[in-house]
């Protein structure tokens, strides 16, 4: 029972971080395209996108280096090489650090 709960929690955290990363990338793209264009009265939307991006960046910056590497490669960069981490970590270390990184990232994002 406890193992299944841990797996479900881990999977839930993966989904949440993936959603945050996808929204962040969309916000950054929208802001990049919007830069230099005369406003059409969409100021409120722009502020929300910029605020969201800042929350993500703040949450990310508070991670340790190994945690940043995992969050970046697994969720933001979406590395096409699924076993990129083998160069840096053992399997158990990777999953342990990833779990801690996701937990801390989500907490930091919530608090940002």
């Amino acid at each position: 029972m406890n193992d299944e709960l841990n797996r479900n929690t881990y999977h839930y955290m993966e989904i949440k971080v993936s959603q945050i990363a996808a929204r962040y990338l969309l916000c950054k793209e929208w802001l990049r395209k919007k830069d230099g264009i005369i406003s059409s009265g969409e100021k409120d939307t722009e502020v929300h996108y910029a605020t969201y991006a800042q929350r993500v960046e703040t949450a990310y910056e508070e991670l340790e280096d190994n945690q940043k590497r995992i969050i970046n490669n697994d969720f933001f960069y979406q590395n096409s090489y699924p076993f990129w981490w083998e160069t840096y970590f053992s399997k158990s270390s990777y999953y342990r650090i990833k779990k801690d990184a996701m937990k801390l990232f989500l907490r930091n994002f919530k608090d940002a």
Side-chain angles (χ1 to χ4, degrees):
M1 173 85 173
N2 199 19
D3 285 343
E4 185 165 336
L5 179 61
N6 286 337
R7 273 192 297 276
N8 288 341
T9 301
Y10 184 89
H11 184 63
Y12 173 78
M13 287 191 301
E14 281 186 315
I15 291 169
K16 293 304 290 179
V17 176
S18 291
Q19 290 172 339
I20 290 169
R23 287 183 190 126
Y24 171 79
L25 295 173
L26 288 172
C27 287
K28 291 300 276 188
E29 180 64 17
W30 189 87
L31 290 168
R32 186 189 63 75
K33 286 181 179 179
K34 187 80 171 136
D35 191 35
I37 297 175
I38 296 174
S39 177
S40 61
E42 296 180 8
K43 272 273 196 247
D44 292 340
T45 304
E46 187 174 335
V47 169
H48 292 299
Y49 287 167
T51 301
Y52 189 87
Q54 183 60 48
R55 285 179 64 203
V56 172
E57 290 166 6
T58 299
Y60 178 80
E61 285 304 315
E62 294 180 22
L63 300 175
E64 295 175 5
D65 289 341
N66 282 335
Q67 293 172 332
K68 285 180 182 179
R69 177 177 284 128
I70 290 172
I71 293 294
N72 188 50
N73 286 337
D74 281 358
F75 299 103
F76 289 91
Y77 181 61
Q78 297 180 341
N79 199 323
S80 59
Y81 180 59
F83 298 104
W84 66 267
W85 51 267
E86 289 179 333
T87 306
Y88 302 97
F89 310 106
S90 68
K91 188 175 185 176
S92 62
S93 291
Y94 166 72
Y95 284 106
R96 180 180 43 78
I97 295 169
K98 182 177 179 179
K99 183 179 101 179
D100 292 342
M102 290 187 301
K103 189 183 302 183
L104 185 57
F105 179 81
L106 289 170
R107 184 179 312 127
N108 292 344
F109 179 77
K110 185 179 100 60
D111 294 341

